[in-house]
Amino acid sequence: MDTAGKPITCKAAVLWEFNKPLSFETIEVAPPKAGEVRIKVVANSTCHSDLHVIDGALWEKRMQCPLILGHEGAGIVESVGEGVTEVQAGDHVIPLWNPQCRECENCKSNKTNVCSKLRDTQNAGLMPDKTTRFTCNGKTVYHFMGCSTFSEYTVVSDLSICKINPEAPLDKVCVIGCGISTGYGAAINSAKVTEGSSCAVFGLGAVGLSAVMGCKAAGAKTIIAIDINPDKAEIAKKLGATDFMNPKDLGQIPIEGVILQQTGGRGIDFTFECIGNAATMKSAFYSCHNAWGVCTIVGVTPPTQELSIITLAIVAGRKLQGSVFGGYKGKDDVPKLVEQYMNKELNIDDFISQNIKLEEVNEAFDTMRQGKLARSVVKFE
Ligand SMILES: NC(=O)c1ccc[n+]([C@@H]2O[C@H](COP(=O)([O-])OP(=O)(O)OC[C@H]3O[C@@H](n4cnc5c(N)ncnc54)[C@H](O)[C@@H]3O)[C@@H](O)[C@H]2O)c1
Ligand SMILES: [Zn+2]
Ligand SMILES: [Zn+2]
């Protein structure tokens, strides 16, 4: 049946209220307007940034429920709106929560990968024309991160999409949509980990584990993987970690104290915070070498959270920086990461802990709250 130009009725996971589970609803997805693309989502994996929203931690006055989460997806273009030239029906695509307009000051600069074009509407859960394409029982439903891929169909801006190799398995490469790119690129692009260096990664979800993988690919000599869940040691070592530390095993001594002791007081060359907790951000910062250590913050905290550090700890040259989507420009780099996976140069399979149905996603987020597993991939039928 030709669905182009008509609304599509389908299944989606809807967040009606913060701090409540997702509910599984039949929704209507309007056709794409000019400059927009409607996608049949084939797979979407869970990211802690979705969970932050469910748990109310990323709530901002401008973010409104009901909304459809999901920003780590892959699918097939169903139809395109007027003026879309980059993709057509049938193309395999990954939606980009960090768009690439190629026109804004940020896109034109090689100093950042963070496009500013859609920021305000995207943060408000709206399409660029300030409306939404979703309704549920006649009620407006908002978008999330320009993707909303916990739905069988979604509509995204053509700035927020990239075409990928049609041979790539969508239920694997969906993780490139956020987790893998974010951690791997944090090590390779943002920190620029050097050969023979020492690294420490705090938090071993898909983001932290891919940072471990990035440190290994960059030739780091020592990679300390840190998590309060001892079960993460095995997969971290498989991906390249040389050591595992559980802060809960250290008694009263803070982890940075132990790291400094073990490095003869020198500290680590590159540290990464992949949890989203101000206390572990401080630990990651103080674990760095006092003159040249670089601490990269990847984890996300509530927007009002502040980080306080001793001023003297930074004056000798320790650096504190952030990283968004691993420093990758989505349209330029995501298709290349897919090729790296296809050429067996990038491991994704080990990050996929389980395949689930959409209806099992609340349980998958429960396991994520407990720090278990890496990614749960929803496969739409
Ligand atoms: N900057 C970006 O572009 C970007 C992109 C994606 C995700 N994120 C953020 O990265 C963070 C990680 O995401 P994820 O999906 O990998 O999460 P996850 O929940 O899968 O993994 C987090 C890990 O941290 C561990 N942990 C929790 N508290 C800890 C502590 N005190 N000490 C040590 N380990 C601890 C957990 O056991 C778990 O293994 C989140 O805050 C997410 O919002 C940022
Ligand atoms: Zn831009
Ligand atoms: Zn994410």
Side-chain angles (χ1 to χ4, degrees):
M1 195 183 74
D2 187 15
T3 46
K6 301 173 195 151
I8 292 180
T9 302
C10 70
K11 201 168 58 176
V14 177
L15 180 70
W16 288 98
E17 245 181 281
F18 299 110
N19 296 304
K20 291 274 165 64
L22 303 177
S23 36
F24 307 100
E25 309 280 1
T26 300
I27 62 156
E28 291 246 300
V29 184
K33 292 192 183 174
E36 299 177 357
V37 180
R38 189 160 60 182
I39 305 167
K40 181 178 186 350
V41 182
V42 173
N44 180 66
S45 42
T46 49
C47 174
H48 207 118
S49 302
D50 297 304
L51 184 54
H52 285 320
V53 177
I54 299 174
D55 291 346
L58 283 191
W59 184 83
E60 293 177 62
K61 281 199 174 117
R62 54 197 181 174
M63 200 184 274
Q64 303 177 69
C65 284
L67 59 83
I68 297 173
L69 292 167
H71 62 283
E72 208 174 270
I76 302 170
V77 173
E78 173 271 338
S79 63
V80 300
E82 206 186 306
V84 173
T85 53
E86 222 173 287
V87 294
Q88 58 183 27
D91 283 346
H92 288 211
V93 290
I94 290 183
L96 305 169
W97 59 264
N98 180 36
Q100 188 180 356
C101 77
R102 301 187 194 278
E103 282 172 359
C104 73
E105 189 185 15
N106 290 12
C107 277
K108 283 183 178 160
S109 165
N110 59 9
K111 294 183 190 147
T112 181
N113 64 322
V114 183
C115 175
S116 60
K117 181 86 182 257
L118 303 181
R119 187 163 46 204
D120 292 346
T121 47
Q122 181 167 316
N123 286 343
L126 298 168
M127 294 301 290
D129 75 344
K130 301 193 176 147
T131 62
T132 91
R133 300 292 161 269
F134 302 126
T135 50
C136 181
N137 300 323
K139 202 170 180 337
T140 297
V141 177
Y142 293 92
H143 297 249
F144 175 63
M145 287 173 85
C147 293
S148 291
T149 35
F150 275 128
S151 173
E152 288 176 306
Y153 285 85
T154 190
V155 177
V156 305
S157 158
D158 67 346
L159 304 180
S160 311
I161 196 164
C162 72
K163 193 166 143 177
I164 59 161
N165 182 343
E167 302 291 318
L170 297 172
D171 57 346
K172 300 280 196 291
V173 297
C174 58
V175 190
I176 293 176
C178 184
I180 297 258
S181 318
T182 295
Y184 194 69
I188 305 263
N189 304 322
S190 308
K192 299 189 171 49
V193 167
T194 51
E195 207 167 337
S197 60
S198 57
C199 299
V201 178
F202 290 70
L204 305 172
V207 173
L209 289 169
S210 50
V212 167
M213 187 165 73
C215 295
K216 164 91 177 163
K221 186 172 170 215
T222 318
I223 305 170
I224 307 173
I226 299 156
D227 204 290
I228 48 177
N229 176 1
D231 296 344
K232 295 286 174 91
E234 193 184 329
I235 182 165
K237 290 197 172 161
K238 188 172 180 195
L239 292 166
T242 52
D243 303 271
F244 175 80
M245 285 170 79
N246 181 348
K248 285 189 170 167
D249 293 342
L250 306 177
Q252 293 303 309
I253 315 176
I255 187 149
E256 57 272 33
V258 176
I259 288 180
L260 287 175
Q261 257 173 27
Q262 289 183 356
T263 54
R266 287 189 301 278
I268 301 278
D269 297 328
F270 299 98
T271 64
F272 299 87
E273 204 277 357
C274 302
I275 301 164
N277 173 324
T280 45
M281 289 177 184
K282 275 170 100 161
S283 296
F285 177 71
Y286 289 127
S287 300
C288 278
H289 190 284
N290 78 322
W292 62 70
V294 178
C295 172
T296 304
I297 303 292
V298 185
V300 173
T301 69
T304 51
Q305 179 75 62
E306 291 185 354
L307 177 67
S308 82
I309 48 172
I310 296 166
T311 55
L312 273 182
I314 205 158
V315 93
R318 238 188 218 119
K319 291 185 187 63
L320 181 64
Q321 63 173 18
S323 175
V324 168
F325 196 53
Y328 288 114
K329 299 216 185 214
K331 283 184 193 274
D332 293 345
D333 296 325
V334 164
K336 292 184 198 156
L337 288 165
V338 170
E339 288 315 305
Q340 284 188 35
Y341 171 70
M342 296 302 280
N343 297 334
K344 303 199 175 358
E345 294 156 13
L346 185 70
N347 183 344
I348 297 181
D349 297 3
D350 281 331
F351 289 79
I352 298 176
S353 317
Q354 56 176 357
N355 288 303
I356 57 169
K357 294 200 176 87
L358 184 64
E359 289 77 4
E360 294 166 325
V361 75
N362 287 316
E363 289 74 25
F365 278 125
D366 279 340
T367 59
M368 187 175 257
R369 280 188 190 95
Q370 295 157 25
K372 294 183 186 160
L373 307 182
R375 282 297 189 255
S376 302
V377 175
V378 172
K379 283 170 93 165
F380 293 92
E381 271 105 44

